[in-house]
Amino acid sequence: MQFVQVNDVTLHYQIIGAPKDKPAIVFANPLGSDFRVWRDVIIRLVGEMQIVTYDKRGHGLSDVGDADYSIDLHADDLAGLMDHLGMKSAFVCGLSVGGMIAQALAAKRNDLVKGLLLVDTGHKIGPKSNWEERIEAVMANGIASLAPQIVDRWTTKQWAEQNAHEIPGYRNMVSRQPVEGYIGTCAAIRDADLTETSSTLPMPVSVIVGDQDVVTPPALGLELSKLVPDGRYDEIKDCGHLPCLEHAPMLSEIIKAFIADVNG
């Protein structure tokens, strides 16, 4: 396992190398998960690019820390990790809150980012009242009480029925995240509005959305693709909020095609 001290926390990360002439990509995870959610995508990219995955603060094996959470703080953590690894002009692929972190990183440190892949996310994910209700529910009853409904919203009902043996594992993943990290990241999403900064992003952006995503629906993804100056838009058919679980082969091909196009 690989760990690094960044800002006030120790972050858990993984790096999979590739030849020096290959592009680099960093993956940022959705709320309530760790970097294992990217496995079925990563195995399709090994050898074709340098791959970095990590657990954001308050998730997985990373520290919770003492600071008040914000999307900017998460972005600063990712910048610190990339600086530690000597990464420049990498592609960053973020899902849900990971996509918000990727947008904030690109706005603050565009030297680190050559292109963005924003998966099932938005420049603002609200309304605030939803996040306040979730925070209150977790504080009152724990994350495990919400894990079934959270995981139910990750994929389509059909996929969940066909892969019923996997669902308990994903519920365990959600339930075992640190409460402080989960609540803190809920608050960070609640308070974030990236409309202004994302409207000036200088790099190419690929927005990818599951056509049946009820968390960050296609209309939000389409709005984001039009907000950024150089945006492209793809919908994945018969897919919910986490295409890395439900349609990893298709997501992998979109990633490869976008990187190849940007790199010429």
Side-chain angles (χ1 to χ4, degrees):
M1 290 188 285
Q2 295 165 300
F3 297 93
V4 62
Q5 183 77 26
V6 173
N7 300 323
D8 64 328
V9 294
T10 293
L11 296 180
H12 177 222
Y13 72 97
Q14 178 185 56
I15 183 167
I16 301 172
K20 291 183 178 180
D21 62 336
K22 300 295 185 180
I25 186 168
V26 181
F27 289 94
N29 312 329
L31 177 67
S33 72
D34 57 52
F35 65 57
R36 289 175 293 184
V37 296
W38 294 107
R39 176 192 176 276
D40 290 345
V41 173
I42 288 170
I43 61 175
R44 292 172 168 84
L45 305 179
V46 171
E48 297 186 39
M49 54 195 77
Q50 183 188 76
I51 300 165
V52 173
T53 55
Y54 79 109
D55 295 335
K56 61 184 167 291
R57 70 166 61 210
H59 287 70
L61 300 184
S62 293
D63 281 342
V64 171
D66 297 323
D68 291 337
Y69 281 29
S70 67
I71 296 301
D72 274 351
L73 179 64
H74 279 304
D76 288 342
D77 289 345
L78 180 51
L81 172 61
M82 294 177 72
D83 284 338
H84 169 74
L85 296 174
M87 300 182 76
K88 296 286 186 183
S89 297
F91 291 87
V92 180
C93 179
L95 202 166
S96 198
V97 67
M100 299 188 87
I101 294 167
Q103 291 172 69
L105 173 73
K108 299 180 77 171
R109 291 287 308 275
N110 60 57
D111 60 305
L112 298 178
V113 183
K114 187 172 186 178
L116 287 177
L117 294 120
L118 304 178
V119 185
D120 292 273
T121 188
H123 48 292
K124 181 176 174 59
I125 303 175
K128 289 187 175 184
S129 58
N130 287 358
W131 296 109
E132 290 166 357
E133 290 170 6
R134 187 179 300 194
I135 291 169
E136 291 173 2
V138 171
M139 292 179 67
N141 302 305
I143 300 176
S145 67
L146 297 182
Q149 69 186 67
I150 290 170
V151 173
D152 283 350
R153 290 159 63 85
W154 278 3
T155 66
T156 60
K157 183 177 180 180
Q158 180 181 13
W159 186 91
E161 290 174 348
Q162 293 173 348
N163 298 273
H165 62 289
E166 297 184 27
I167 301 303
Y170 294 122
R171 291 176 178 173
N172 289 339
M173 179 185 291
V174 173
S175 300
R176 294 171 185 176
Q177 300 304 315
V179 171
E180 299 91 340
Y182 188 88
I183 290 174
T185 302
C186 286
I189 300 170
R190 177 198 66 196
D191 297 338
D193 185 345
L194 307 176
T195 305
E196 183 175 351
T197 54
S198 290
S199 69
T200 61
L201 292 176
M203 67 287 295
V205 178
S206 172
V207 180
I208 306 156
V209 185
D211 69 342
Q212 297 184 41
D213 185 356
V214 297
V215 181
T216 51
L220 179 62
L222 184 59
E223 182 181 352
L224 176 58
S225 72
K226 293 178 178 179
L227 174 69
V228 297
D230 185 1
R232 304 106 190 266
Y233 178 78
D234 284 290
E235 280 188 20
I236 299 179
K237 187 178 179 181
D238 300 322
C239 185
H241 188 53
L242 264 63
C244 55
L245 303 184
E246 198 164 4
H247 285 288
M250 176 63 72
L251 179 57
S252 303
E253 289 306 311
I254 293 172
I255 291 171
K256 290 179 185 179
F258 175 71
I259 291 176
D261 181 63
V262 173
N263 282 340

